[in-house]
Amino acid sequence: MTVNMTKGQAISLQKNDGGSLTAVRMGLGWQAAPRRGLFGSRTREVDLDASAVLFADKQPVDVVFFRHLVSDDGSVRHTGDNLVGGVGQGGDDEAILVDLARIPVHIDQIVFTVNSFTGQTFQEVQNAFCRLVDETNGQELARYTLAGGGQYTAQIMAKVHRSGQGWAMTALGNPANGRTFQDLMPAILPVL
């Protein structure tokens, strides 16, 4: 059963049977919004990029994004860059796979971001979402929908963080501006 998350909501990543999730996929999907022009509606391709920044005690120690597809320890993997979105017709256009069991013990948070590499604002995007999927069985666990457009070019989407003996996810949905994850670091640090 999927939990439709709201901004700031946290969910545990424990399985219903009491076991812990071992591998999750953070999926990102989007479509370019049609724009009205002199000769009718048209769309312009939008290149959104998903990134995962790994933190240890509030310090960034690794990142996975379109130019660094696998974390240094191999526990987090990006499936590849999608330059236009909407290819999956509601499915994931980009995905980041996280092997929770292999995350080094010093990593305590993974923050997922989305940014418009081409600098377009979220007013030019529609049907954008991020979702968390149990990678072992394909079950969608949580979905966070980007709503409202906006004059910003990035979003701090969600974080997966250690909680007791397991992991939890918090939907953040914080708007930001930047073309790369590096540009977003000042907006990420307050949510750690």
Side-chain angles (χ1 to χ4, degrees):
M1 183 170 125
T2 298
V3 175
N4 287 314
M5 298 184 72
T6 58
K7 183 176 180 173
Q9 181 180 1
I11 63 165
S12 169
L13 297 185
Q14 299 294 313
K15 289 188 172 189
N16 290 338
D17 64 7
S20 294
L21 291 172
T22 57
V24 294
R25 177 176 72 238
M26 180 64 71
L28 167 67
W30 76 94
Q31 295 174 326
R35 299 176 67 196
R36 293 197 179 275
L38 186 59
F39 301 106
S41 294
R42 60 184 173 85
T43 58
R44 194 172 107 195
E45 293 177 348
V46 177
D47 178 12
L48 295 184
D49 291 320
S51 301
V53 185
L54 289 71
F55 288 88
D57 196 28
K58 298 187 179 186
Q59 297 297 315
V61 294
D62 202 355
V63 66
V64 173
F65 70 116
F66 69 93
R67 289 190 179 144
H68 185 243
L69 295 176
V70 180
S71 62
D72 294 339
D73 59 45
S75 64
V76 181
R77 184 171 51 91
H78 195 297
T79 60
D81 195 14
N82 181 318
L83 302 176
V84 297
V87 176
Q89 300 301 319
D92 299 338
D93 293 309
E94 289 193 12
I96 297 176
L97 306 170
V98 181
D99 186 343
L100 294 169
R102 289 184 55 203
I103 302 271
V105 69
H106 70 286
I107 303 292
D108 54 10
Q109 297 185 69
I110 303 169
V111 177
F112 296 93
T113 66
V114 177
N115 55 274
S116 173
F117 189 72
T118 49
Q120 292 146 302
T121 69
F122 277 87
Q123 285 182 323
E124 298 178 60
V125 176
Q126 67 182 10
N127 302 324
F129 65 88
C130 79
R131 67 189 191 126
L132 194 69
V133 176
D134 181 342
E135 192 61 15
T136 60
N137 62 16
Q139 178 185 0
E140 184 174 284
L141 303 169
R143 177 177 287 257
Y144 179 68
T145 303
L146 264 86
Q151 287 293 328
Y152 49 91
T153 59
Q155 185 133 101
I156 314 305
M157 293 293 291
K159 68 178 178 178
V160 172
H161 48 97
R162 292 192 188 272
S163 176
Q165 297 298 315
W167 292 87
M169 176 187 168
T170 301
L172 299 168
N174 294 348
N177 282 296
R179 293 181 52 236
T180 66
F181 76 89
Q182 295 101 323
D183 297 339
L184 303 180
M185 291 307 288
I188 293 172
L189 295 176
V191 303
L192 298 177

